[in-house]
Amino acid sequence: MDEPSVLIKRQSRPKTRWYVNFADFANMVKAFIGSNYLYVAFAFSQSGVVLGAIGMSVIAALTDHCCHLIVKTKHHGIEKMIKKKKLKTQPSSTGQYNSYDSVPKDSGVDEDDDEDVDAESSAFIGRSADIDDDSDSSDIESEFETIDNSEIKEHMTSNMSYGDVGKLAFGGIGVAVVNFCIALTQFGFCVNYFIFIGNTVHALFPIHLCFNVSNTRVCKTIHDEDINGGITTVLPTTTTSVNNYSTISPNSSTIAPNITTTETSWSQIGELIYTAPDLRILVVCPIIIFIIFALIRSVRYLGVISVLANLSILFGCVSVFFFLVIGFEVHKSIKFFNIKGFPIFFGMVTGAFEGIGLVIPVESSMVGNRHLFSAFLHGAILFLTMLLAFFGILGYLRFGEGVHQMLNTNIPSGDPISVAVNIGICIGILLTFPLQIFPVIEIVEKNLFATGRLCGPKHTVDTSEEEALMSSDKSPLLDDQDHVVAHIPDSVPAWKRNIVRILIVLVAGGLAVVLRNNFAYVGAFVGAVGSSALAFILPCLFHLKLCWQDISVFIKIKDFIIIIFGIFASIISVISVIQRLVNEIDV
């Protein structure tokens, strides 16, 4: 008699509702978009239109690839952890264990490597083929073990962070490097928020250009957009010649040629009189609000603030869009290629694409929808690239070499509409600050106050990290989180943590005062050091370390090429940025 056949039916994936897909895609887009669109036009002024467009395309493609790579490495690391502790299913009918060396289909990662197979489907088939009416207690125990494995995998998939992937690859050094780069990039953004708000408010105040003509003082009201260079560089008693007269510019660079005089030949000395308060005062004005934000303990309380920030940024984005389109004309001072300024461009645009630190949390949150991860990531990066290219290229084409480091300050500030637009953008940046400073505070506090750290309580039980991370009788990342992500004990006084938080904000404000005229170069430095490492170098390093045995030689060579490119491009960019900062900084 023939043996009864076993029908193996592949489980269908439940269809998600449209609003769930929309929310997941919106989260992916939000991971990359902030105020970065406002300084890309200045980046194009450093590289030229054509070279900038080519460079942005390359950076976008590498960012997309490495975001997929770090998620793939995360899933591969989880599978290796489960396999290492022998948390496997029963052998299939062929006598072979089901493979856990690949990325599950639900991860949504592109299947560009030969090792990608459907592990979850294989486990389901193996279990179905092995269970019959005569199965003994060992088969039942194996079935429960398989269920436990699935729960553990899902829990780890939903909770593992970028730092955890670094820890799997290189131990404590890996997570330390990731945390340092994340803290550096987020802290740099916070410094730039001080600078942005201060300079935007400063640009709203009119400037009086005055001359003494036949014992009569004649003044004309102008604005920062009439002064070449955007964010004014403090150059006391700098004399420049414009249209038959000379000017003394106490707080500016040069006067733009569009400031005209009468046909009378004037030889008198012109003077710029600023009505705005000192820029240093304006830069530190929001520090009290920022300190209050920094004292908030949980991101959960920032939900309403985040919504308001997003609406304000959207309002500013739409307003700047219409300003660029209405009355658009191509400026005469356009460059197509500028190799000398390309290192600055690289740092700024890499920082503008920085969002890989949030890709893993967003992918982890897509429970039941991870099969769409690749499509959402491709769409988000494509949308970001088009947005940045639009504002960058159009902004540079319209203003040429006179484009400001912050595009919104090119908007004429003499009418109420422009004032409302700039204030709206400032509110958006102001409300975004707590979300940017929170990761910095979290990393600093855990390195200071966690158990066994410099200012934290001492260890009471010596448990190995590997046992705590991968113990078969506990859910990883669940029952013993101290060994994966450092935890701050309740015994640490709140006042100590508050002092640290206040000091972090004060340091950011102090640096902002020193770098108040260098918004673009701060962003370029952050992008060249932190964002380049997070986006290009570390994903490939972690992938090589965790997947070395399972990838082809071609994939290894590709990873090494990206690492070398990231390192050399970062070094050249950092050197160029430091040279600019040395020439521009004025305390």
Side-chain angles (χ1 to χ4, degrees), residues 414-554:
D415 58 88
I417 295 179
S418 64
V419 172
V421 169
N422 281 304
I423 291 177
I425 295 175
C426 283
I427 292 175
I429 297 298
L430 187 77
L431 297 178
T432 306
F433 182 87
L435 297 174
Q436 299 292 343
I437 199 69
F438 189 84
V440 182
I441 292 173
E442 189 176 39
I443 291 171
V444 173
E445 284 189 341
K446 287 176 179 178
N447 279 278
L448 288 176
F449 300 125
T451 302
R453 299 301 171 87
L454 183 63
C455 301
K458 305 300 181 183
H459 278 296
T460 56
V461 179
D462 187 16
T463 305
S464 69
E465 286 187 344
E466 185 176 1
E467 288 181 0
L469 185 64
M470 298 185 294
S471 176
S472 60
D473 60 346
K474 292 182 179 181
S475 295
L477 303 175
L478 178 62
D479 294 324
D480 201 351
Q481 294 183 6
D482 285 351
H483 296 276
V484 181
V485 181
H487 173 69
I488 301 176
D490 294 334
S491 59
V492 177
W495 65 267
K496 290 185 177 180
R497 299 176 64 181
N498 289 341
I499 289 177
V500 170
R501 290 168 179 242
I502 293 172
L503 286 176
I504 291 174
V505 177
L506 292 177
V507 171
L511 286 175
V513 170
V514 176
L515 302 169
R516 61 191 178 277
N517 299 314
N518 300 283
F519 177 85
Y521 302 125
V522 172
F525 179 84
V526 170
V529 178
S531 300
S532 178
L534 289 172
F536 306 142
I537 301 172
L538 295 182
C540 294
L541 279 176
F542 296 163
H543 185 243
L544 288 172
K545 183 65 168 60
L546 293 175
C547 308
W548 182 267
Q549 302 296 331
D550 305 300
I551 58 178
S552 64
V553 175
F554 172 78

Side-chain angles (χ1 to χ4, degrees), residues 49-116:
V49 176
V50 177
L51 184 59
I54 296 173
M56 178 172 285
S57 301
V58 172
I59 292 172
L62 286 177
T63 301
D64 183 271
H65 174 74
C66 290
C67 285
H68 279 90
L69 198 64
I70 193 64
V71 172
K72 177 182 292 186
T73 304
K74 163 194 162 181
H75 286 281
H76 194 98
I78 292 173
E79 301 292 352
K80 288 187 68 174
M81 290 170 62
I82 296 176
K83 184 177 180 181
K84 186 175 181 180
K85 296 302 292 183
K86 299 181 180 180
L87 294 176
K88 300 178 181 178
T89 62
Q90 285 292 101
S92 65
S93 57
T94 60
Q96 299 294 325
Y97 282 99
N98 295 310
S99 173
Y100 282 97
D101 293 333
S102 59
V103 180
K105 294 280 186 180
D106 193 44
S107 68
V109 178
D110 284 344
E111 299 176 348
D112 56 348
D113 296 335
D114 294 337
E115 67 270 12
D116 292 341

